[in-house]
Amino acid sequence: MAERSTAAVDVADNSGDGPSPAPGGKASSASDADRATADGVAEGQDTPEMSTQNEAGRKKGTETPIVAPELHSGHKLARRYRLEECVTRLDGFSSWRAVDEKLRRAVGVHLLPADHARARSVLASARSSALLGDPRFVQVLDAVEENDLVYVVHEWLPDATELTTLLASGALEPHDAYQLVSQVSQAMAAAHREGLSHLRLTPSAVLRTSTGQYRIRGLAVNAALRGITSERPQLTDTEAIGALLYASLTQRWPYESDAYGLSGLPKGIGLIAPDQVRAGVHRGLSELAMRALANDGATASRQEPPCTTPDELAKAVAAMPRIRPPEPAFTPRPEYQRTNYQQGSYGRPQPRPAAAQAAAPVPPPPLQSRTGKALKWSVAALLIAAIGLGSWQLADTLLDRRGTNDDTQTQTDPKSNEGSKVVVPKPLAIKDAAEFYPDGSPQAAGEVAKTYDNDSTSYWRTKWFVDGPDLVPSVKKGVGIVYDLGAKQNVAESSIALRYPGDHTTITLYATDSLSSSGDVDSMQKIATTTTKGSKASIKAKKPVKTRYVLLWMTAMPLAGQEGYSGAGHKQAITDVKFTG
């Protein structure tokens, strides 16, 4: 039973295989931009940092051209994937927008002949990328060799926007550029730890979703389709991230050649810092871009060492002061305008009948008659009596409570007439937290802090699973988070706000000895457990347990529909956790 998380997917990334963009770095036409959003076709030429990793032994004029498979719209693969539109036909392979008729969703498909020189490497790269399962990358759904064809099926994200399109309208705000380099460097560091590299990390390979998260498409696959390799893949990907940051800050490509709809730097001046290219560039991000590009001749202004791996770059980003988003601009409310409808007919002359009528006696104004005056005095007397009674009761209550403190209260035993102190539960502050995954497969380790940030809109979410609601034994032993209370505390209760209601969520609290994922849950001291079908779980221990670290362990989760890049399946998200003791 495999767990799978969804994300955006490209259909093809062809930068470097088409003609160079027009001088001046003008953006592509509207039709090209639309295609680029789907598959990355509308890209410029190879850049200097990407041009040295072409397929070994490949020379112009000496290789027989490979013809892409001749297929047509409506053709079905595996009696499931119906081809809709061919978006790329290049270098022996073609890319399509297709429909998965079984799950009724759009997908992307790469097709190439089984005897293609790169067919084996494409299959191997696609399967390795699928095993990563990181939602920050596009997800490979299928990689098959069938009927003399090799095809790779990926997810399709229609609401995502390429970085190429974003930069066509101007440089990014400092907060957006900070989020870009932070998320992309962390994602590529995670990929390299699993032995995977990109080698084609261009502006069209980075997407921003409608929620503001950045997704990377074409991990390992785009390079395999073009036969690209590198002796130092980590350095290649790090320089590519530096180029993306440079372009985001300046709307210029950090080389003399124009590429990806962006103008290159003026010839003969070399690689200069972004804050020297454009006014108002954030100084810290400018230095960070130069550290990532230092191996191409850049020099950080503070003479800091260059970043040669995505992990080093991610740590350098984390060491920077966090850049906050700009304050939203509020439009003042318009002044109050009185309409004719609101004015009514007060004060307007009324039409008089033709025949004169005898004047009727005018009644006195409301409450001005003798009965009305008596009613007013009666109501006033009742109000004065009510205020006096309320004041007396409040003073009596305050006198009874005087002498008690905030944390304890005294109850009297009718037999012994002796008082006993009852401790009122107090909230316990959470100092730190970390995801607990002893099987080595985390869910969303970077989102743990969102479970105790006092923000009900943020959350930590699990991946989605086909089997459920109980994870044991077919899926895994469970998923969880360890919370650090700062010091040993008596843990008595916990309130957990959940995102998805349904049948059913099971959560157990354990006392553990650290934030690490080592250790067996069965050997830990159990505090309490609960099962709920709603969006809130309340857990109360029979007897408080003294511990510094509390493990929240989830072993069942309800069925929920697709939401953003999270597919439909058994999953759960935690929005807020509170402990009392």
Side-chain angles (χ1 to χ4, degrees), residues 66-196:
I66 299 176
V67 180
E70 289 294 337
L71 299 175
H72 55 83
S73 298
H75 183 89
K76 286 187 182 180
L77 301 173
R79 294 184 295 180
R80 174 176 177 177
Y81 304 110
R82 185 180 73 247
L83 303 182
E84 292 287 323
E85 178 188 6
C86 182
V87 294
T88 303
R89 193 179 298 275
L90 176 73
D91 201 15
F93 70 88
S94 60
S95 299
W96 295 74
R97 177 177 59 83
V99 174
D100 183 349
E101 294 186 336
K102 184 176 179 180
L103 298 180
R104 297 182 181 179
R105 63 179 178 181
V107 294
V109 180
H110 291 313
L111 282 165
L112 67 164
D115 58 354
H116 195 288
R118 305 176 201 139
R120 304 273 74 77
S121 62
V122 169
L123 275 176
S125 298
R127 289 166 180 170
S128 298
S129 179
L131 291 175
L132 182 61
D134 192 323
R136 294 172 293 191
F137 294 92
V138 297
Q139 189 72 24
V140 174
L141 303 176
D142 213 349
V144 180
E145 180 178 357
E146 182 182 61
N147 298 330
D148 298 327
L149 284 176
V150 167
Y151 59 89
V152 177
V153 183
H154 347 205
E155 292 172 308
W156 185 281
L157 192 66
D159 65 340
T161 306
E162 283 185 3
L163 182 59
T164 308
T165 305
L166 297 174
L167 294 180
S169 59
L172 300 185
E173 292 290 335
H175 174 72
D176 292 332
Y178 172 82
Q179 291 295 326
L180 167 70
V181 68
S182 176
Q183 295 181 32
V184 173
S185 61
Q186 290 178 17
M188 288 309 305
H192 278 283
R193 283 194 292 269
E194 299 298 327
L196 294 172

Side-chain angles (χ1 to χ4, degrees), residues 360-393:
V362 179
L367 298 181
Q368 294 301 317
S369 63
R370 183 177 300 175
T371 305
K373 291 180 179 180
L375 180 61
K376 285 196 299 182
W377 284 109
S378 300
V379 172
L382 288 174
L383 287 175
I384 293 172
I387 292 173
L389 180 61
S391 301
W392 176 79
Q393 290 179 340

